[in-house]
Amino acid sequence: MTELSESHDDPFAPHLAALAVLDDRGVVVGWNRMAEELLGHPDTAVIGRPAFEVLVDPHDLPAAREAAGKCRRAGGWFGVLNVRHHDGRLVAMGLRAHELSRDGRAREWFLAGALAADVLEWQRDRAVLDGLYRRCPIGLVVHGPDLRLLRVNRAIERFSGVPAADFRGRPTGCFLLPDDARRAVDRVRQVMDTRRPMVYSEQFVRLEQDPARERVAMVSSFPMEDPSGRILGVAEMIEDITERHRAQRRLALLDEAGGRIGTTLDVAETARELAEVMVPHLADHASVDLLQPVTRGEELARPLSGPVVRVGASGVGAQQSGPPHPEGEPVEFAPDTPQARCLAEGRPVLEPVLPPDWFSTEGRQGARTPDLGVHSLIVVPLVARGLVLGVMTLWRSRRPDPFEADDLTLAQELASRAAVAIDNARRFTQQQQTAFTLQSSLLLRAVPDQSAVEVALRYLPASAAPGLGGDWFDVIPLSGARVALVVGDVVGRGIHAAATMGRLRTAVHTLASLDLEPDEVLSRLDDLVNLLAAEQEAAGERPVDEQVVGATCLYAVYDPVSGRCSMARAGHPPPAVTAPDGQVTLLDLPAGPPLGLGGLPFEAQDVELAEGSLLCLYTNGLIGEGQLDADDGLARLRAALSRPGDALERTCQAVVDSLVPSRPSDDVALLIARTRKLPPDSVASWHLPLEPASAARARALTSAKLIEWGLEHLSFSTELIASELITNVYRYASGPATLRLIRERRLVCEVSDTSHTSPHLRRARTTDEGGRGLFLVAQMTDRWGTRYTREGKTVWTEQPLTGAPV
């Protein structure tokens, strides 16, 4: 019986059913072997006896008689009745009765029976099969061994719009476009050849009668075989998952956009990321057009107007980056275009179907453009914080289906996210431009006029790190034709670092004007950094990245008269010196602590530099911190500096090319100076004793030297200056005096002594007999001042060489 129940064959088939024949009186006249097996009654026990007496329990007689009455009236009957087994138990059986006529006179009744469970299972199988073909929402297609369609269900009829009867006998894939049909045939043939099912394979489907609509089907295929193993064909379950696939694609696009858009604080890069995300997932072509002030990081004025700039564009074709304007070009939309309306009103525009000549119409986009086969269009505004920044335009040309309302919703969501990122980038650009303006105003813009060194400078801001750096350099002319060379680096980034750099640079200028020694300059700077840090802490500015916790600096003073350079550094990289023969040396200067630690000493060191030597000062961003090994960076620096005879700008650029990457992670400040020496005949020096006659001696020596130099027109003023300064030494100082004249771009007159007494300018009263010497000196010179050394002081003056012969 188990075999019968599992066979799913018709339980009333002659070879499976229990069969009996009753005459018109209900007497059993026929009984087969299967009836004997099912009910236990041998044919000898039932034939010739009334069926109600042998086979029906008394309790079931009413139901049996009712069934018999229906059968007589209708000529047949089907139902379930309890039949008594030979051992007395009741067996529920499905019965089917038909009327038989013999010789047109006597009536007999043919009964076929089977276990009720088998009948119900068979009925369920029939119901399932009927449901698959008539009511199932999932498509069913049956292919024959010859790859022709045997049958399809109603779901396929609804999916394709083709009557189910029209499929019978047609080739597989007959109603699909050729490419889609070929994939369908390959799939069926593979299942038939391998006899292995293929589960959940996705296929894009386009019907011949509706080629513009692309659908997605989920297909599961399995082979059909008879009991002998002969292949009967392939059955396929096909489900239309177009909407689900689109929803998944939209979610995937949102996820991808979240990871790709806004990765940098760069307006153009963010716009390009938005355009690239759209293609090919949502559109065949995409462009992002921003108002020009947005691309420049400026505030937007109301009302919003003016041309836009195509910042981002992407397209599916290798030669088509998106219609109709190239990336980077200004675009002026005509008033009747969707882009112009979207920009003006701040509302999206959906054009599901465009006329064929839409892109080739004169004036529609401001100029005649090629027909790209575009048939559908979406334009959405890029709105952030209530401001329209630009528009994003999406086109479809290769994909046949037009844009829908869901596509517009998705485009608006992506545009909204991107607009916030673009506005953040615009604000960041604005802040960066403000900060760079501040920084550039604080940095050295032009090398001041001086004759001690030839200088080349480079400042390269970090492009891979946020905020401004605090690197700076400076060239400061000093008295006596000397020059101070400075390079420094404030710890940290941002406006605070740039502002602190400006304050330190100003402080260095002030200290340089006092002609302090390099170590003394660094000591004063150290005090200033500590003061700035204390002020910031007192103001409650706690973020570590904004606090001034230190700085490094290197301060060098070069004297073109002696050729000596005095240097000191505070935690800064040591300078490199290239001798005239090309040998590069990294000077072993005492390192000194970084500025801001407080209380620790700095040490200066003097170095003799031959004329034509290169002195290279730099910040740590140059030697590859975070990019290269420090030793490797220094090796490259030596190689780039090994040609001292090259033009200084060329050498400076060679250093940058060799050590600085295209996107440096740290700011780089570089200063290279080529030393000069004043000719010996441009310097005159005399030691004068401390006696009254020294003033007259100074006047005579000065006059003679100026005549020798062809500067007779400066004799009167210079004699008076030398006389007054020597007289002051005689009156207020001690020890011998030294008078020195230097002829370079200016005429320098210096008087040195061993005293540290500070001369000062005062206004003499009319009754005073003296006190007018320094006043006269100040009136007759452009500049004058005092510098102090460990041995004493020097009072110096400068006069222009106006009118001097060349």
Side-chain angles (χ1 to χ4, degrees), residues 494-790:
I495 294 292
H496 286 274
T500 301
M501 175 270 289
R503 298 174 77 172
L504 292 182
R505 180 171 181 253
T506 301
V508 170
H509 271 264
T510 302
L511 296 173
S513 66
L514 298 177
D515 266 325
L516 299 177
E517 297 292 329
D519 54 342
E520 182 66 18
V521 170
L522 295 182
S523 295
R524 302 285 183 90
L525 283 179
D526 183 58
D527 295 338
L528 176 60
V529 171
N530 284 320
L531 177 61
L532 295 176
E535 289 178 354
Q536 195 173 58
E537 184 175 357
E541 299 177 3
R542 303 299 300 173
V544 175
D545 60 343
E546 295 183 0
Q547 288 185 353
V548 180
V549 294
T552 65
C553 184
L554 190 150
Y555 187 88
V557 176
Y558 174 69
D559 186 350
V561 176
S562 64
R564 299 192 65 82
C565 184
S566 179
M567 291 176 277
R569 63 184 178 125
H572 203 80
V577 173
T578 304
D581 61 0
Q583 184 176 358
V584 182
T585 305
L586 203 65
L587 296 183
D588 187 19
L589 294 181
L595 302 174
L597 296 184
L600 298 176
F602 299 95
E603 184 178 349
Q605 180 174 313
D606 289 350
V607 178
E608 185 95 22
L609 297 179
E611 185 174 11
S613 299
L614 300 184
L615 179 62
C616 179
L617 312 181
Y618 52 90
T619 55
N620 56 11
L622 180 72
I623 56 176
E625 183 176 1
Q627 299 286 338
L628 298 171
D629 180 79
D631 293 337
D632 186 19
L634 292 175
R636 294 189 183 190
L637 178 62
R638 289 189 178 97
L641 293 173
S642 61
R643 298 170 61 91
D646 289 351
L648 201 57
E649 284 293 331
R650 179 178 177 182
T651 300
C652 193
Q653 189 59 45
V655 171
V656 171
D657 294 341
S658 177
L659 285 102
V660 181
S662 58
R663 295 179 61 86
S665 60
D666 192 9
D667 291 6
V668 175
L670 173 64
L671 185 156
I672 302 179
R674 177 180 284 124
T675 60
R676 297 167 176 159
K677 291 192 70 172
L678 293 181
D681 59 357
S682 294
V683 181
S685 179
W686 304 277
H687 295 285
L688 301 175
L690 197 61
E691 58 185 27
S694 294
R697 175 66 176 162
R699 288 194 296 272
L701 293 172
T702 298
S703 178
K705 180 55 67 176
L706 293 180
I707 292 174
E708 178 184 340
W709 286 344
L711 301 176
E712 297 90 343
H713 59 285
L714 296 176
S715 294
F716 174 78
S717 59
T718 309
E719 288 179 24
L720 180 59
I721 291 169
S723 176
E724 290 295 335
L725 296 180
I726 290 295
T727 300
N728 282 342
V729 172
Y730 174 74
R731 289 182 176 178
Y732 306 110
S734 60
T738 299
L739 172 64
R740 186 170 72 164
L741 298 178
I742 301 174
R743 181 188 61 176
E744 42 114 23
R745 285 182 170 83
R746 291 171 174 270
L747 178 63
V748 179
C749 178
E750 298 179 342
V751 174
S752 305
D753 60 61
T754 58
S755 171
H756 287 87
T757 304
S758 176
H760 61 277
L761 183 66
R762 66 185 181 90
R763 185 175 297 278
R765 291 172 296 182
T766 57
T767 57
D768 291 342
E769 295 184 0
R772 297 178 178 83
L774 282 180
F775 180 77
L776 292 174
V777 170
Q779 295 298 314
M780 302 183 72
T781 61
D782 278 359
R783 295 197 317 153
W784 74 280
T786 305
R787 67 174 180 268
Y788 295 89
T789 63
R790 292 178 176 83

Side-chain angles (χ1 to χ4, degrees), residues 30-47:
W31 191 256
N32 75 340
R33 182 181 58 82
M34 185 59 67
E36 182 178 344
E37 291 180 4
L38 285 175
L39 298 175
H41 298 285
D43 55 357
T44 57
V46 294
I47 292 177

Side-chain angles (χ1 to χ4, degrees), residues 376-555:
S376 192
L377 172 72
I378 282 180
V379 184
V380 292
L382 298 170
V383 182
R385 301 176 178 92
L387 293 175
V388 178
L389 310 178
V391 294
M392 176 180 69
T393 308
L394 306 178
W395 294 271
R396 279 187 180 173
S397 57
R398 295 190 176 186
R399 185 179 303 184
D401 50 319
F403 285 117
E404 302 174 348
D406 289 342
D407 297 322
L408 178 61
T409 301
L410 177 60
Q412 285 181 279
E413 174 65 23
L414 294 174
S416 177
R417 295 186 183 188
V420 174
I422 289 173
D423 193 52
N424 289 338
R426 178 191 65 82
R427 293 182 173 216
F428 175 76
T429 301
Q430 184 182 44
Q431 293 177 357
Q432 285 293 92
Q433 289 175 348
T434 302
F436 282 126
T437 300
L438 169 64
Q439 188 180 41
S440 62
S441 67
L442 297 175
L443 286 172
L444 178 66
R445 295 189 175 185
V447 178
D449 187 27
Q450 48 80 39
S451 57
V453 291
E454 177 189 358
V455 177
L457 305 168
R458 289 291 187 279
Y459 178 80
L460 304 171
S463 58
L468 300 172
D471 295 24
W472 91 94
F473 42 58
D474 225 327
V475 178
I476 307 173
L478 301 177
S479 62
R482 298 170 305 136
V483 66
L485 306 175
V486 191
V487 172
D489 185 2
V490 175
V491 175
R493 304 193 66 80
I495 294 292
H496 286 274
T500 301
M501 175 270 289
R503 298 174 77 172
L504 292 182
R505 180 171 181 253
T506 301
V508 170
H509 271 264
T510 302
L511 296 173
S513 66
L514 298 177
D515 266 325
L516 299 177
E517 297 292 329
D519 54 342
E520 182 66 18
V521 170
L522 295 182
S523 295
R524 302 285 183 90
L525 283 179
D526 183 58
D527 295 338
L528 176 60
V529 171
N530 284 320
L531 177 61
L532 295 176
E535 289 178 354
Q536 195 173 58
E537 184 175 357
E541 299 177 3
R542 303 299 300 173
V544 175
D545 60 343
E546 295 183 0
Q547 288 185 353
V548 180
V549 294
T552 65
C553 184
L554 190 150
Y555 187 88

Side-chain angles (χ1 to χ4, degrees), residues 318-369:
Q319 303 299 326
Q320 302 180 53
S321 62
H325 297 277
E327 186 175 336
E329 286 192 4
V331 181
E332 189 75 45
F333 293 123
D336 62 335
T337 59
Q339 290 89 342
R341 298 199 310 269
C342 178
L343 194 62
E345 301 173 6
R347 296 180 181 179
V349 177
L350 171 60
E351 297 282 356
V353 179
L354 295 174
D357 61 344
W358 194 82
F359 268 107
S360 59
T361 301
E362 183 73 30
R364 185 172 292 277
Q365 296 292 329
R368 184 175 295 277
T369 57

